[in-house]
Every structure is written in structure tokens, then in C-alpha cells.
Amino acid sequence: MAFGAKKTTEQLILESDQADLSKAGYAPDLSYTALDEESDTFTVTVDRVHFRQPLEVVLAVLEANGYAANFENLLSCFDTMVHSVRIRANERSSGDLLSARSFIPCISFQLPSKNKVGFLLKKFYAEIEAYELDIARLRAGEQDEAGNKKQTREQMKRDLERLQNENARLQANIARLTEQLAHAMKSQAHVTKALESNNIIPPQLKPVLVREISLQERTITLKAGRTSYVLPIFFLQTMPKIGDPCFLNIKDDQIIDAYFYENPGVEFQKDMAEVLHVEGDSCKLRDSQRQIHIWTVKNPQEAEVFTRLRRGSKVILSSMDGVLVKLSLVVDQSTGYWTHIVQEKQTTFQLEMERKSDPDALPNFDGKD
């Protein structure tokens, strides 16, 4: 060694205030792998782990040192992991900051220790404790899987009886009103033809034909001559077919209702469901088969019903060919349904009163306005 040359030292630096790297150059000859047995700190220079995931490196170190490769030990290592550097510097006098001449980047972390619990490990323990409390509550029968308080067998029995009674009452009303409507609609086709030919149909009723049905968009397209109308399936009690005639009730360029008078239409497949979550213009539903559905509003009529949905609300899902096309609140079913029936009955009754004016006349469904 030349006279007056400074002695050098090689050290691992774990914190930025332990050395000055401003004048240091990269030194690949500092490459190494080491385990400090005093602090249980493992260090490897990055040139030895190029293109390897940190998780892969930690797993290899744990297995090599006899630790179980479990989630707890992994989090313990990641809690202490730091990007360190190994430097070569002149030996310093007491109190002087090391001025590095060269360096190489490293990865350092401590092996698991029961005496050290870092941030990640604390969160892990807290989550495990919360899961154990939830499992204990479920086992005790206090809550169901959704976190709601379970109903007793007696409560469910009372709810079932109440719904059965309500269903019987509604079925009786349906039968009574259907009989009245069938009587009022007898010979209705001749009535409408006669009234249209004699300009007796009220001006707000527009004769149209079904031209297109879109189950995905939940709409049907109706056409009168060159004019087309898009009707939400929300208005319908049954599904019409392509070519079915219809009267549209239009007020201020807005569709109020639709009356399909020649064919009864196809009944929707209906199922009860419960609202699990409402956010924005979408909601999460669970039907009687415990299948989950996501419903997104597609028109203003659905949006009006949507504003009244709450977690736990009971709804009726209507589907056609396996596609959900209509959603209605159970509490709204009787009001909306019977309003439609009464309006249709009143209209057809008014038309029948004029039936004898010209029974042989045909309605204008030839594609002209």
C-alpha cells in the first residue's frame, strides 16, 4: 500500500443518512449474498435476482433457512424489506459521514421473528380476528350470510300465510275483472274498425302495429305509416307478437299507455326477488333460486320505480326467453296492474257503445298515415 493511502471499508447501508452516495459509481465487483446472523437480516445484490419476483426471492430464503412458507411469514419479511446499497468507502474518523466511492443496489429483509410485528402483519391479524367473529355469529344463528338478522320459523310462517292470503285476494280480483273485461271486449275488433272509419276514435289514440321487439333493450317498436314509436316493456302486462295491432294513448307527444286488443299476448315468467344493494342507476338482486342479477335502468319509467328501491325491497322480476325485461315493486303491483286494466276496460266499453255505426268498416293498418 502506498504511503498515505486511505484504508477502505465495505458496508451495507440500510438508511439514506448513513452514507453520501453523490460521488459514488456503480461497482459490480461488490456483488454478494449474505445473512447477518446477529440481526437475521438477509441481503442480496440486485444483479443476482434480475427478472425474479420479490415473492419468489422471499420464498427461497424462507425455505433455505427452515421457515414455513406461509402467509404470516411472508408478510413478516415484506414488513422489513428495504432497497439498500452495499458501498465501498474510505474509513471514516469518529463522527464523519461515510463518503462512498462505489456502490451496488441490494434488497434486504429480516427473517420472521415472534418479537416483531409490522404494519402488514397487524392488518393480517386484525382481518383474521374479524373473520372469526363473523363465523362465530353465523354459527350462533344470529345472522344470515348477508349479515341480516335471521327470521324465526314462526315469523316466516306468518309471512307465508299473509302472502298466500294476499295472492288469493288478487287472483279473485283478476278473475272478476277479467270476466268483466271479456264481456266488454266482445266484438271489439269490429267496434274499432267501425270507429276508425267514422273518425270516432279519440284523437289521442293512435292505431299502430308492432314492428320490432328488443328484449335486451326492453323495448318494442311500433309503427304507423312512416312514424315509429318506441314503447318500454315496462308498460306491458303481456308480450305481444310482431304484427299485432295496438292503440297508443299519446298526450303531449308522450306515450301514456298501450292497448293490444286482438291477441292476449304471451305471459311473462315471473319470480320474486329481493334487493341486496342499490347504487346509482343499478341494483343487485337475488331471486327465489338465490341467483344474483344486476339490473340497470334503461328508461325514465324504470327510473321512477328505481327511486323507491331500498335494500330489502321485494320486487317481481318478469322475464321472456330467459331475459329479464321488467321489474316492479310488490307494493306497486296491484296499483299499476289494476289501473291498466281499468283504463283498458273503460276505453273498450266506450268503443263498444259505438259498435253499430259501421260494423263492416276496416281500420287503417295498410301502412298509410
Side-chain angles (χ1 to χ4, degrees):
M1 181 176 65
F3 179 76
K6 294 183 179 180
K7 294 182 179 180
T8 60
T9 181
E10 295 177 359
Q11 292 188 25
L12 177 66
I13 304 300
L14 298 174
E15 298 180 7
S16 61
D17 59 358
Q18 292 179 338
D20 180 11
L21 303 178
S22 61
K23 298 180 181 179
Y26 180 77
D29 60 307
L30 290 173
S31 175
Y32 87 135
T33 301
L35 175 62
D36 185 341
E37 295 183 358
E38 182 177 349
S39 63
D40 277 342
T41 299
F42 173 82
T43 301
V44 60
T45 52
V46 293
D47 62 302
R48 300 196 177 193
V49 291
H50 278 323
F51 310 113
R52 297 181 66 183
Q53 295 181 354
L55 177 62
E56 182 183 355
V57 175
V58 173
L59 285 172
V61 174
L62 288 175
E63 293 176 356
N65 289 274
Y67 289 87
N70 56 37
F71 199 57
E72 185 176 15
N73 286 338
L74 286 172
L75 290 181
S76 179
C77 292
F78 280 112
D79 264 325
T80 60
M81 182 174 288
V82 62
H83 288 278
S84 56
V85 292
R86 189 182 187 212
I87 68 169
R88 181 181 292 119
N90 295 328
E91 288 188 348
R92 62 183 176 183
S93 58
S94 178
D96 292 337
L97 183 68
L98 280 173
S99 180
R101 297 168 56 184
S102 55
F103 77 98
I104 190 169
C106 308
I107 296 175
S108 299
F109 58 88
Q110 290 182 323
L111 296 179
S113 172
K114 294 182 178 180
N115 299 324
K116 296 179 181 179
V117 179
F119 174 76
L120 290 176
L121 207 52
K122 285 181 181 178
K123 287 183 66 68
F124 175 66
Y125 290 150
E127 289 185 10
I128 292 297
E129 184 178 359
Y131 290 143
E132 289 176 346
L133 289 174
D134 287 342
I135 292 173
R137 281 196 295 267
L138 289 172
R139 287 177 176 172
E142 297 176 1
Q143 295 180 341
D144 59 18
E145 294 178 357
N148 301 317
K149 189 174 181 180
K150 281 187 175 180
Q151 284 186 314
T152 64
R153 184 180 296 273
E154 290 73 17
Q155 289 174 323
M156 290 188 287
K157 186 176 181 180
R158 287 195 297 269
D159 286 345
L160 180 60
E161 291 177 352
R162 177 178 57 80
L163 290 174
Q164 287 176 336
N165 292 335
E166 178 69 8
N167 184 61
R169 184 182 67 81
L170 292 175
Q171 291 291 346
N173 287 338
I174 290 174
R176 177 175 55 83
L177 292 176
T178 300
E179 183 179 355
Q180 294 177 2
L181 183 61
H183 178 74
M185 293 180 65
K186 193 173 183 179
S187 302
Q188 181 185 2
H190 292 290
V191 174
T192 55
K193 293 174 184 178
L195 293 178
E196 186 185 21
S197 63
N198 288 277
N199 296 321
I200 300 175
I201 295 177
Q204 70 270 22
L205 293 183
K206 184 75 173 178
V208 293
L209 292 175
V210 178
R211 290 305 188 196
E212 184 180 344
I213 298 175
S214 175
L215 298 182
Q216 298 297 333
E217 293 300 319
R218 304 198 285 272
T219 58
I220 64 174
T221 300
L222 306 166
K223 197 165 185 179
R226 297 180 180 179
T227 304
S228 296
Y229 302 88
V230 177
L231 178 70
I233 293 178
F234 174 86
F235 284 102
L236 306 181
Q237 301 303 322
T238 58
M239 181 64 73
K241 297 178 181 179
I242 301 294
D244 279 358
C246 164
F247 280 126
L248 277 185
N249 186 358
I250 300 176
K251 182 178 181 181
D252 298 329
D253 296 327
Q254 297 293 323
I255 298 175
I256 306 302
D257 214 336
Y259 308 108
F260 296 87
Y261 52 88
E262 283 197 359
N263 296 319
V266 180
E267 294 288 339
F268 295 117
Q269 295 88 44
K270 296 185 178 181
D271 192 8
M272 291 287 292
E274 181 179 0
V275 177
L276 300 180
H277 180 68
V278 179
E279 183 174 353
D281 60 353
S282 297
C283 67
K284 186 177 183 180
L285 307 164
R286 181 173 60 201
D287 63 21
S288 62
Q289 305 300 316
R290 302 191 65 80
Q291 292 184 342
I292 301 300
H293 306 276
I294 302 298
W295 180 276
T296 301
V297 170
K298 288 185 178 292
N299 55 68
Q301 291 76 19
E302 293 179 355
E304 195 279 331
V305 173
F306 200 82
T307 60
R308 286 173 281 164
L309 294 183
R310 299 291 184 273
R311 175 182 171 87
S313 296
K314 298 294 189 291
V315 297
I316 294 177
L317 297 179
S318 299
S319 61
M320 181 63 60
D321 298 332
V323 179
L324 293 181
V325 295
K326 186 176 178 180
L327 177 149
S328 55
L329 276 165
V330 171
V331 294
D332 291 341
Q333 181 68 7
S334 57
T335 302
Y337 182 81
W338 300 123
T339 299
H340 176 87
I341 292 297
V342 170
Q343 288 177 342
E344 187 171 332
K345 173 181 177 297
Q346 289 175 339
T347 300
T348 53
F349 182 79
Q350 177 185 358
L351 298 176
E352 187 177 8
M353 294 299 96
E354 305 295 337
R355 179 175 60 84
K356 295 182 180 181
S357 62
D358 187 359
D360 297 325
L362 296 174
N364 183 20
F365 288 130
D366 57 359
K368 299 180 181 180
D369 288 328

